[in-house]
Amino acid sequence: MSAEIKVPTLGESVTSATVSRWLKQPGDAVSTDEAVVELETDKVSVEVAAPESGVLGAHAVDEGGEVEVGSLLTTVEGSSGAKPTGQAAPAQAPAEPAPAPAAAQKPAREAANPSGGVNPPPRTSGPVSRPATPPADVAGHAPLPSAAKLMTERSVRSGDVGEGTGKDGRITKGDVLAFLERPAAPAAKTAPAPAAARADDPREERVKMTRLRKTIAGRLKDAQNTAAILTTFNEVDMSAAMAMRAEYREAFEKKHNGARLGFMSIFVRACIAGLREFPAVNAEIAGDDVIYRNFVHMGIAVGGANGLVVPVLRDADQMGFAAIERGIASFGKRARDGQLKLDELTGGTFSITNGGIYGSLMSTPILNPPQSAILGMHKIQDRPIAVAGQVVIRPMMYLALSYDHRIVDGKEAVSFLVRVKEGVEDPRRLLLEI
C-alpha cells in the first residue's frame, strides 16, 4: 500500500507554490509527520510531512517546479520496503528532454506576402512618411489637375485621401487640403530590442530569485507606482521609556509569566493612540472609496529565514503591554524557524518596522500595500540636545512615517507622528489615554 503526499491548502487566495527543497530523496525511510519537502509560497515557506511511515517514492516535481493546491508531490510506500541505513537511494529516471523551441515566426511582411514579393507600405491617415511623388491612383479616385499638383508637392497618395467630392468621385484641391489638416496618426510603438545576454564573470555566482523575494519585489514596486509616498520625520527622547523599562523590567517579567518588557510595546501603544485620533492613517483606498477602520491590526516587521516578513497583531488596540510583547516575541521566534502561518501575514492596517536593530540611524520605510502608512524606528544614539536652555546628552531616536499622500494629508501625518513622540517620551500618557 502507498499513501500520496499532495500539496496542502496554503491559505486564503493562495493557489500555487514552488518546490523550493526536497528534504528526503526517493528510497529514503520516513516516519509519520516527518517533513519531506519544503514549499515556498508568495508569503512563507511551508513544510509538508509524511502521513505515515514507509519509504519515499519518486518525486513528482523537481526542485523549482510550480505546483497547484491538491497536486501530487510524491508517495510513501509501505514500511516493509524501507531501505537499511547507508543504502544508496535508487537512481531516478532521467527527465525527458525538453521539446525543441518552436521555429521563429516569419516577419510580418513575409507572412503577409508568402510569395516573397515586397508588400506596399502601410496606409496612413496623416502626412507622415509619404513618398516623394503620388503613385498611380489605386482606388479609382482620379485627382483634378490642381489637386494632383498639390499632392505631388506634399507627397500625398490618392488612396490616402480616399474618394473625392468632385464629379464621379474625383479628388479636388479642397479634398487634399482637408486631408492635410487632419491630425497625423501616432506612430506605432515598436517593442524595444531584447537586451543582450549578460556575460557572467567567473568570480560571480548566479542564483535564481526565490518566489518570496520576487513577490516582495513586485509588491514594493507596485507601492511605488501606485501610492503617492511621502515621508515625514521627527526624533524622540528615549530617556523616560528607558527609565520605565529599567525600573519595572523584573516585576513585569515576573507578573506576566516571563514576558519581557521591550520598547516595541510602548511604540505600538503610542501608535494606537495616534491612529484613534487620526483615522486616515489607519485607512485604505479601495477604488473610489476610502475604508476607515474602528480597529487596529498592527503589522510588525520581523526578520525571517527567507527575508523580512510582517506578521499581524490582530485587534492590537484591545491588547495590553504584556499581550503585545508576547505576540511580538512569538512572531520573531517562528519567523526565524519558518513556522509562521499564512493567515498571520495578511490583514494588517498599519505597520511598524525597526531598522535600529540592524544599526540604521535613518531611513524612509516603504508602504506595505494596501496600508496607507508605516512607522520606521531607528537606532538609539546618545546625542546633545537643548533642554531648558542647557545642552545635555540624551538617548535619541529618529522616527520616520511614510504615508500615502492621496489619503493622508501632511498635517495629519505630522500630527500623528507628534502624538507618537509624546506617548513614547511620557509613557504615562498611554496609561491615562491622554
Side-chain angles (χ1 to χ4, degrees):
M1 297 295 291
S2 64
E4 295 182 336
I5 300 179
K6 296 183 177 181
V7 180
T9 300
L10 300 170
E12 184 179 358
S13 76
V14 180
T15 60
S16 64
T18 300
V19 177
S20 61
R21 186 163 57 109
W22 281 101
L23 306 175
K24 293 290 184 177
Q25 299 303 317
D28 285 353
V30 296
S31 303
T32 303
D33 295 331
E34 183 178 7
V36 298
V37 63
E38 184 180 86
L39 305 180
E40 187 179 72
T41 72
D42 292 345
K43 301 180 185 296
V44 293
S45 294
V46 178
E47 290 184 349
V48 182
E52 61 183 48
S53 298
V55 176
L56 197 70
H59 297 163
V61 184
D62 293 333
E63 290 185 357
E66 190 88 2
V67 290
E68 301 289 333
V69 171
S71 61
L72 180 67
L73 292 169
T74 184
T75 59
V76 177
E77 306 297 332
S79 59
S80 59
K83 67 179 179 65
T85 303
Q87 180 177 333
Q92 299 185 50
E96 293 184 8
Q105 295 184 353
K106 295 184 179 180
R109 291 194 176 188
E110 201 174 323
N113 192 356
S115 63
V118 178
N119 286 349
R123 295 173 63 176
T124 175
S125 59
V128 180
S129 302
R130 301 186 177 97
T133 58
D137 179 30
V138 296
H141 307 310
L144 294 172
S146 59
K149 179 180 178 182
L150 181 60
M151 291 168 65
T152 300
E153 293 173 351
R154 304 297 294 271
S155 301
V156 176
R157 296 164 52 104
S158 59
D160 295 336
V161 179
E163 185 173 359
T165 58
K167 185 178 179 180
D168 298 328
R170 301 184 72 182
I171 298 172
T172 67
K173 184 176 181 179
D175 295 330
V176 179
L177 291 173
F179 168 77
L180 293 173
E181 290 176 358
R182 298 177 198 167
K189 295 183 178 179
T190 58
R198 178 181 180 275
D200 292 347
D201 188 284
R203 296 164 294 178
E204 295 176 328
E205 179 184 6
R206 184 182 291 265
V207 179
K208 186 177 179 61
M209 187 181 289
T210 65
R211 183 188 182 106
L212 176 60
R213 177 52 57 186
K214 286 190 290 187
T215 300
I216 292 173
R219 285 174 57 83
L220 295 183
K221 189 57 183 173
D222 286 344
Q224 281 188 325
N225 294 341
T226 303
I229 303 176
L230 194 64
T231 305
T232 184
F233 302 93
N234 212 318
E235 62 178 353
V236 57
D237 184 349
M238 296 294 294
S239 299
M242 294 176 72
M244 183 185 78
R245 183 178 181 229
E247 183 175 356
Y248 295 108
R249 181 189 304 178
E250 292 184 5
F252 183 91
E253 188 171 344
K254 183 177 180 181
K255 170 71 174 178
H256 298 291
N257 300 319
R260 296 184 177 182
L261 179 60
F263 296 129
M264 188 60 78
S265 58
I266 299 175
F267 276 94
V268 170
R269 293 301 309 176
C271 287
I272 289 170
L275 294 173
R276 286 172 174 167
E277 187 172 353
F278 303 100
V281 185
N282 194 45
E284 172 189 335
I285 292 179
D288 294 331
D289 301 325
V290 177
I291 301 174
Y292 291 96
R293 302 180 175 94
N294 296 317
F295 59 89
V296 177
H297 289 344
M298 185 70 69
I300 307 294
V302 295
N306 297 315
L308 195 70
V309 291
V310 188
V312 178
L313 281 174
R314 301 191 182 278
D315 296 312
D317 52 317
Q318 304 300 317
M319 295 181 177
F321 285 81
I324 292 172
E325 291 291 356
R326 280 195 292 265
I328 294 173
S330 174
F331 285 155
K333 182 180 185 302
R334 289 186 291 126
R336 291 188 295 271
D337 296 339
Q339 298 298 319
L340 284 173
K341 298 178 181 177
L342 289 170
D343 58 1
E344 294 176 313
L345 300 171
T346 58
T349 63
F350 180 85
S351 293
I352 300 177
T353 181
N354 184 7
I357 59 177
Y358 304 112
S360 173
L361 186 63
M362 174 72 77
S363 68
T364 56
I366 192 168
L367 298 183
N368 184 20
Q371 298 171 25
S372 296
I374 180 172
L375 179 75
M377 298 167 54
H378 299 92
K379 178 183 179 181
I380 301 173
Q381 188 175 63
D382 286 345
R383 291 199 297 273
I385 63 170
V387 177
Q390 301 293 322
V391 176
V392 297
I393 304 298
R394 292 290 178 85
M396 304 297 294
M397 176 194 289
Y398 287 118
L399 298 179
L401 179 76
S402 291
Y403 60 97
D404 189 344
H405 211 349
R406 297 178 302 165
I407 182 175
V408 182
D409 293 332
K411 179 181 177 182
E412 291 176 299
V414 172
S415 300
F416 169 83
L417 197 55
V418 168
R419 293 295 181 272
V420 174
K421 169 185 170 70
E422 292 173 345
V424 175
E425 290 188 337
D426 188 359
R428 295 173 299 179
R429 299 174 63 96
L430 305 176
L431 300 175
L432 298 175
E433 297 185 351
I434 58 175

